[in-house]
Amino acid sequence: MSALTEDAARALICEIGRRLYARGFASGNDGNLSIRLSPDAVLCTPTLICKGFMSPADLCTVDMNGRRLSGDRPRTSEILLHLEIYRGDPQTRAVVHCHPPHATAFGIARVDIPTGVLPEGEVFLGVVPRAAYETPGSEAFAASVRPFVGQATACVLSNHGTVSWAADLERAYWYTEMLDSYCRMLMLARLLGHVERLPEDKVRELLALRAAFGMAADPRADGSTPLYVNPGFGKPGAPGP
Ligand SMILES: [Zn+2]
């Protein structure tokens, strides 16, 4: 199922873990990463480990029920979240969960991330939904992302962090990086006093670019969901956030 050998997948998880830690997306032992190795096996980070200092032998494999198949350390307590996404979208081969500060701030403030602002945000992220808060590691926590799997590629977890998923780990990591970068720019622009929206025809042109990149159509493209999320964000005098 995965184009990667297990050894290559282990090395890649360690490399992406170092990047997450270096970017301040995962403090202490925050966050977890996984790659689906086969229909019945997922390689994941163990619990209570700093993502910046992992070795390939630290990782473990689990089955699709979260039972450990190999590894000396217990698997991450948040593997149920990863498994929920793999079950919901068979195209997904990698999941990144962490606590990037700018995107997480939107989840703490419970502010919807606006759309129609930046080309990269429109093309690659689209609408980033926010899952309801649930206790980390619980079944309810895993289920909180269920409505968005197959609809989005990243999600903000209320009062917790973010999760992103893709066909490979590097791309799943991109989505987390793009999301936090986008949230940072939104906050900075708002501090300057105004967040300008792109006009509707320009947003539609951006959504049309997804096909050129081999990506599925944005659900907003056929008009079934609103083009602009949180259109009041950053408008002087607009009520609320
Ligand atoms: Zn977490």
Side-chain angles (χ1 to χ4, degrees), residues 30-32 78 97-99 136 141 157 160-162:
D30 287 355
N32 29 79
E78 290 178 329
H97 162 61
C98 58
H99 307 164
F141 171 63
L157 306 168
H160 184 157
T162 63

Side-chain angles (χ1 to χ4, degrees), residues 120-138:
E120 285 72 17
E122 292 309 291
V123 175
F124 295 104
L125 295 174
V127 174
V128 179
R130 187 175 70 253
Y133 179 80
E134 293 291 350
T135 301
S138 64

Side-chain angles (χ1 to χ4, degrees), residues 106-161:
F106 277 77
I108 295 169
R110 308 279 177 106
V111 171
D112 290 333
I113 296 172
T115 57
V117 177
L118 201 70
E120 285 72 17
E122 292 309 291
V123 175
F124 295 104
L125 295 174
V127 174
V128 179
R130 187 175 70 253
Y133 179 80
E134 293 291 350
T135 301
S138 64
E139 298 258 359
F141 171 63
S144 71
V145 301
R146 191 177 296 153
F148 314 123
V149 178
Q151 305 293 316
T153 198
C155 174
V156 171
L157 306 168
S158 293
N159 294 65
H160 184 157

